[in-house]
Amino acid sequence: MSLIVMKFGGSSVGTIERMQRVARRIADYMEAGHRVAVVVSAMGDTTDDLIDQSKQLNPNPPAREMDMLLTTGEQMSVALLSMAIHQLGREAVSLTGWQAGFRTEPVHSKARITDIRPDRILRALDEGKAVVVAGFQGMTEDGEITTFGRGGSDTTAVALAAAIQADVCEIFTDVDGVYSTDPRIVKNARKLAEISYDEMLELANLGAAVLHPRAVEYAKHHNVKLIVRSSFTHNEGTTVKEEAVMEQGVVVRGIAYDKDVARISILGVEDVPGVLAKVFGALASSGIDVDIIVQSGVQDGKADFAFTVSRGDAASAIGIVESIRSEVPYREVTSEQDLVKVSIVGAGMVSNPGVAAKMFEAIYKLGVSIKMVSTSEIRLSCIIAAEPVQEVVRALHTAYGLDTTEQAFVGGPQERR
Ligand code: ADP
Ligand code: ASP
Ligand code: MG
C-alpha cells in the first residue's frame, strides 16, 4: 500500500467521458489499497477561454481579479471529479488550494508556495477518502487568492507530494512521457525512460511544456519521485530522478523551444562604467526577468547591447529603458517580437567539444541566421526568427542522432494550443 499523488492535466479531464475515465483510474488505485491525493487542472480549454473573456471586458485586467477568475476553472474540475468518484462507490472530497492549506507569497499570477499545511488532507486520507485538490492556486497570509502561473498544477502536485511525504507523484498528461523533444513536432522523437532533475529543469525552463519548471525545482529540492505518463494509456512513463543513465554515445538528451521571446536592443550607448548596472538594476526592481544579454564591441566610445525578455514584458522593458535615458544616454531603443529560442540540453555536453559547432552548422544549413547565443554547462540556446522553428528542431533532432523508429509517439488527442 502506497501513498500516491496523481495529477491530471486539462486535456485529461477535457470532457465528461474523460473525467469518468480519470475517476475510474483513481478508484482502481484505491481498490488496489493505495491512499490517493489527486490534483486536477481546469477542463480542456477552460483557462484560455476565461482569459479570452476577461480580455474582451478589459484588455489589462487587474491581476487580483484575474486570479479570482482563473481559480474557478480548477474548482469546477475538483467538484466534478469528486462526484464522478462517488458514482463509482468510493468516497472523495474536493478542496480548493486554500482549503488544502497552500499558502503563497503575496504575488498575483506567478506566486510561489511559502508553506503547506496538509492536516485536512491527511485527515481525509485517514478516513479512506480520495482527496481532490484544485491545481495552481493558493492564498496569501492576508486571505488573497493567488495562482502559480500557466501550467502550475504540476507544482501543486509535487509540493503536495513533498508535504504529505507521498511515495510517488505521478503526472498524467496527454503524451506518455518526456520525449527527446515535443513529440507533436517531431514524430520520431524518442521517449526517455528516465531523465535527471537538472536536465528536466533546463528543458522545462527552456519551453518544454510537459512539466512546470517550479514542479521540477520542487521535486529536486525535496527529492520527490516523479513520473510523467499518459492518462490515455497504461504505458510506462518517464521517471525524473537525481541521476539518469545516459545512453551510450548520446550527448544531447533533449531539444526545447520557447516562443515567448522578445529582444530589446539599446543602440549607441555611451561606453562609461555602470551602464549595465543602471539598466538591469532598473529592470530588476520592476520585476522583469532578463534572459540573454549581449554587448557588442565599442566604436567611437559607443556600444550597442541587446537582451531578451518574455513578450508580455517587452512594452514595460522599453518604458523603463526610456525612463532612464537621462542617466544612460543612448541613440535608440528597438524591439523585435517574432523570435524564438531553440535549445539543446544534455548532461554530457560539458565534456564534448564540437557540440556547439554541430548546432550552428545544422541551423546554418537551413539558411537561418542566429541572432544571439547563450550557454551553460548542460545547455546551449540560440535565438532565431520564429518562422522556421519546427524545421530547425527537426534538423537538430536528426543531427544529434535522436531520431528513432522504435518508439513511435503514442499520445492523446491534441485539444488545446
Ligand atoms: P497538461 O494539460 O497535462 O498539463 P501540457 O500541455 O501542459 O499538458 O503538457 C503536455 C504537452 O507538452 C504535450 O502535449 C507536448 O506537446 C508538450 N511537450 C513539449 N515538449 C515535450 C517533451 N520534451 N516531451 C513530452 N511532451 C512535450
Ligand atoms: N489551468 C492552468 C493552466 O491552464 C493550470 C494548469 O493547467 O496547470 O495553465
Ligand atoms: Mg501542463
Side-chain angles (χ1 to χ4, degrees):
M1 180 179 131
S2 307
L3 174 55
I4 302 178
V5 172
M6 307 170 82
K7 181 261 170 177
F8 296 91
S11 56
S12 304
V13 291
T15 62
I16 291 298
E17 186 264 326
R18 287 189 196 168
M19 192 71 95
Q20 284 167 329
R21 223 166 17 171
V22 164
R24 180 74 265 162
R25 204 146 184 171
I26 296 165
D28 286 348
Y29 271 43
M30 294 172 84
E31 265 143 49
H34 302 305
R35 294 192 296 155
V36 189
V38 180
V39 173
V40 67
S41 292
M43 292 173 73
D45 289 332
T46 303
T47 307
D48 288 335
D49 293 345
L50 291 172
I51 293 172
D52 286 349
Q53 284 173 2
S54 70
K55 300 262 155 145
Q56 286 175 41
L57 292 164
N58 181 343
N60 284 311
R64 178 189 183 277
E65 305 310 328
M66 206 61 196
D67 278 354
M68 181 70 84
L69 178 69
L70 296 190
T71 48
T72 63
E74 268 66 15
Q75 286 184 51
M76 256 175 69
S77 288
V78 289
L80 290 171
L81 185 55
S82 285
M83 293 175 193
I85 298 170
H86 275 276
Q87 182 60 22
L88 297 175
R90 290 274 160 190
E91 281 215 65
V93 57
S94 61
L95 298 174
T96 62
W98 40 101
Q99 286 179 317
F102 280 80
R103 283 295 167 99
T104 75
E105 56 182 13
V107 172
H108 286 295
S109 85
K110 50 180 174 193
R112 282 179 182 272
I113 300 165
T114 50
D115 185 26
I116 303 171
R117 299 171 195 174
D119 330 7
R120 190 163 174 179
I121 296 175
L122 293 169
R123 267 203 312 278
L125 288 171
D126 285 345
E127 289 163 7
K129 294 176 184 159
V131 184
V132 186
V133 178
F136 109 123
Q137 53 183 265
M139 193 173 264
T140 67
E141 287 296 336
D142 294 338
E144 289 294 331
I145 292 174
T146 52
T147 59
F148 306 166
R150 298 303 307 268
S153 297
D154 297 333
T155 301
T156 302
V158 176
L160 184 57
I164 63 173
Q165 299 185 327
D167 297 293
V168 60
C169 177
E170 294 190 305
I171 306 284
F172 291 87
T173 183
D174 60 358
V175 290
D176 59 357
V178 178
Y179 280 71
S180 48
T181 192
D182 187 343
R184 299 194 188 279
I185 304 295
V186 178
K187 292 293 167 207
N188 49 1
R190 62 171 77 195
K191 189 170 89 183
L192 308 174
E194 44 188 54
I195 185 166
S196 68
Y197 290 127
D198 288 336
E199 290 169 314
M200 190 62 240
L201 186 56
E202 289 281 9
L203 285 174
N205 270 322
L206 294 166
V210 65
L211 282 176
H212 192 239
R214 281 188 190 161
V216 186
E217 230 172 79
Y218 223 99
K220 178 178 162 68
H221 195 71
H222 297 271
N223 210 13
V224 174
K225 182 172 178 200
L226 190 58
I227 297 177
V228 179
R229 55 190 305 195
S230 170
S231 63
F232 298 93
T233 71
H234 282 77
N235 294 348
E236 251 179 65
T238 302
T239 303
V240 189
K241 55 200 284 210
E242 191 59 48
E243 296 275 329
V245 178
M246 201 79 170
E247 268 179 65
Q248 272 273 309
V250 176
V251 177
V252 171
R253 178 93 70 179
I255 300 168
Y257 66 92
D258 185 355
K259 291 183 173 162
D260 188 15
V261 176
R263 175 162 80 159
I264 314 285
S265 302
I266 313 182
L267 309 174
V269 186
E270 297 275 346
D271 181 42
V272 290
V275 165
L276 290 178
K278 281 181 193 147
V279 172
F280 294 103
L283 291 166
S285 50
S286 301
I288 295 180
D289 279 336
V290 174
D291 184 18
I292 303 176
I293 304 171
V294 173
Q295 178 172 359
S296 68
V298 180
Q299 231 181 359
D300 304 328
K302 306 260 194 266
D304 296 339
F305 64 92
F307 57 91
T308 61
V309 293
S310 69
R311 289 184 187 177
D313 282 340
S316 335
I318 290 186
I320 288 163
V321 172
E322 283 169 348
S323 73
I324 56 170
R325 195 169 191 160
S326 56
E327 288 171 71
V328 181
Y330 58 82
R331 191 180 72 245
E332 192 184 357
V333 55
T334 62
S335 78
E336 293 156 272
Q337 300 263 344
D338 237 1
L339 300 173
V340 67
K341 180 166 72 173
V342 186
S343 308
I344 56 172
V345 171
M349 279 168 54
V350 62
S351 51
N352 268 279
V355 177
K358 189 178 267 188
M359 181 171 193
F360 301 150
E361 171 87 16
I363 296 177
Y364 163 68
K365 274 196 190 148
L366 292 172
V368 174
S369 67
I370 297 171
K371 294 172 184 282
M372 291 168 112
V373 176
S374 104
T375 61
S376 83
E377 286 196 337
I378 65 166
R379 161 181 70 84
L380 178 63
S381 302
C382 295
I383 302 285
I384 59 170
E387 198 268 312
V389 65
Q390 300 200 357
E391 250 179 294
V392 168
V393 171
R394 286 191 198 108
L396 292 172
H397 201 263
T398 306
Y400 289 105
L402 294 171
D403 291 350
T404 179
T405 47
E406 295 148 30
Q407 296 162 315
F409 164 54
V410 185
Q414 183 170 29
E415 228 165 38
R416 291 161 299 142
R417 292 167 283 270

